Amino acid sequence: MTEIFTRIEHSRTADEVVQQIESLILEGVLRTGDKLPGERELARQFEVSRPILRDALKALEVRGLLVTRHGGGTFVADVIGQVFSKPVIELISSHRKAAFDYLEYRREMEGVAAEYAARRATADDLALLDTIMARMDAAHRNADFEAEAEVDVEFHHAIGESAHNIILLHTLRSCYRLLSEDVFQNRLLVFTLPGARESLLEQHRAIYAGIAAKDPAAARKAAMDHIAYVEQITAQAERAGDWRRVSRLRRQQRSDQSNN
């Protein structure tokens, strides 16, 4: 694992270790499920004693930021999942209007994130986005719907990180969590529509191009146009799914009638 922790200056107390790990979680460097280095290695990187490190890790665990698995190590806790509680997620998944409100909200937030990313993205941010775009191209060539959907979410995650706004980062992460957990069952339907995959790929390229060119207006427009398109084809995919369902039922009913 690349060393993301730095030596503690000054008094080298547990509080300073806590603050550094808190900052890494808050800034999105450490993400849900990330495993921390072992105790010996972590103490070495911080240059603190192991008792001090244990006190810091315990304090973070008590606050729900870390979780220790017996014999498995220490991990970043599922802090994102707390933004949308289970009852709220169930309500969202069972009410059709929520899906469209979700996209309406994302259209605005994605626009802001892309604009900020175009202003603030570092060379490392752009390198990560470039890598993700290469994976997106590969998934598209292989016509792997699941992989395309997965890298799509990762792409938007990376833009949220490149915006370098903590509140925006965690708000968007909570939104993407709904996608990752298939709260919206029609998520993969859009990839089955003729021409949709090609359009989505080009839209992602346009967003990336605006960010890479440091053009905030272009990046914002491309992001908002992308979500507007997703709104449109989501509705279209649902209608097409309903048509197929009704046609299948009609055919089955008439076949049953002719056999009677």
Side-chain angles (χ1 to χ4, degrees):
M1 180 177 179
T2 302
E3 293 191 6
I4 60 173
F5 307 97
T6 57
R7 68 185 298 271
I8 298 298
E9 306 287 349
H10 314 303
S11 59
R12 299 181 183 175
T13 64
D15 286 344
E16 291 179 272
V17 175
V18 167
Q19 288 172 10
Q20 187 175 145
I21 294 177
E22 281 179 342
S23 293
L24 291 170
I25 293 173
L26 195 59
E27 293 284 2
V29 178
L30 287 173
R31 303 196 290 182
T32 296
D34 282 353
K35 183 177 181 180
L36 271 58
E39 186 180 285
R40 184 188 302 276
E41 173 59 20
L42 202 52
R44 183 193 68 78
Q45 291 186 33
F46 282 125
E47 291 192 16
V48 297
S49 68
R50 293 173 75 173
I52 284 178
L53 178 65
R54 290 191 198 108
D55 287 344
L57 296 181
K58 183 63 178 177
L60 289 164
E61 188 173 0
V62 167
R63 291 170 54 191
L65 294 175
L66 297 179
V67 58
T68 299
R69 299 171 190 166
H70 184 66
T74 302
F75 300 80
V76 177
D78 187 4
V79 292
I80 296 175
Q82 298 171 12
V83 177
F84 286 108
S85 65
K86 186 176 180 181
V88 172
I89 289 175
E90 290 175 351
L91 282 173
I92 289 173
S93 65
S94 62
H95 286 74
R96 189 169 178 272
K97 182 178 181 296
F100 292 99
D101 286 351
Y102 168 83
L103 288 171
E104 181 179 66
Y105 176 79
R106 266 192 68 193
R107 185 178 66 240
E108 301 302 320
M109 293 300 99
E110 296 277 6
V112 172
E115 177 182 340
Y116 285 3
R119 298 180 189 278
R120 302 170 177 175
T122 67
D124 286 325
D125 291 327
L126 294 176
L128 177 59
L129 282 168
D130 188 60
T131 299
I132 292 171
M133 285 303 306
R135 289 176 50 213
M136 188 179 289
D137 285 336
H140 181 79
R141 284 193 304 272
N142 296 329
D144 186 336
F145 294 180
E146 289 283 356
E148 281 188 285
E150 181 180 332
V151 76
D152 183 317
V153 174
E154 190 173 346
F155 174 75
H156 289 289
H157 263 300
I159 292 174
E161 292 170 353
S162 300
H164 292 282
N165 179 292
I166 289 170
I167 305 303
L168 186 59
L169 168 66
H170 290 282
T171 302
L172 286 172
R173 276 189 174 178
S174 67
C175 283
Y176 302 144
R177 182 65 167 270
L178 298 180
L179 288 180
S180 299
E181 295 186 350
D182 289 325
V183 171
F184 304 115
Q185 299 299 323
N186 56 14
R187 182 167 70 111
L188 294 181
L189 280 178
V190 298
F191 290 98
T192 67
L193 295 178
R197 292 174 54 246
E198 289 71 21
S199 295
L200 289 168
L201 181 61
E202 288 306 313
Q203 289 159 19
H204 287 127
R205 285 174 175 163
I207 298 169
Y208 172 67
I211 294 172
K214 302 291 185 181
D215 187 335
R220 181 178 187 130
K221 182 178 185 304
M224 295 183 72
D225 286 349
H226 166 59
I227 302 300
Y229 175 78
V230 171
E231 288 181 282
Q232 172 195 330
I233 61 171
T234 295
Q236 184 180 338
E238 287 189 349
R239 287 197 300 272
D242 286 340
W243 296 337
R244 286 192 292 269
R245 179 183 58 83
V246 171
S247 296
R248 185 170 59 251
L249 290 173
R250 284 178 185 151
R251 183 180 179 188
Q252 181 63 48
Q253 173 65 9
R254 290 171 188 174
S255 173
D256 290 345
Q257 290 295 316
S258 64
N259 291 330
N260 290 334

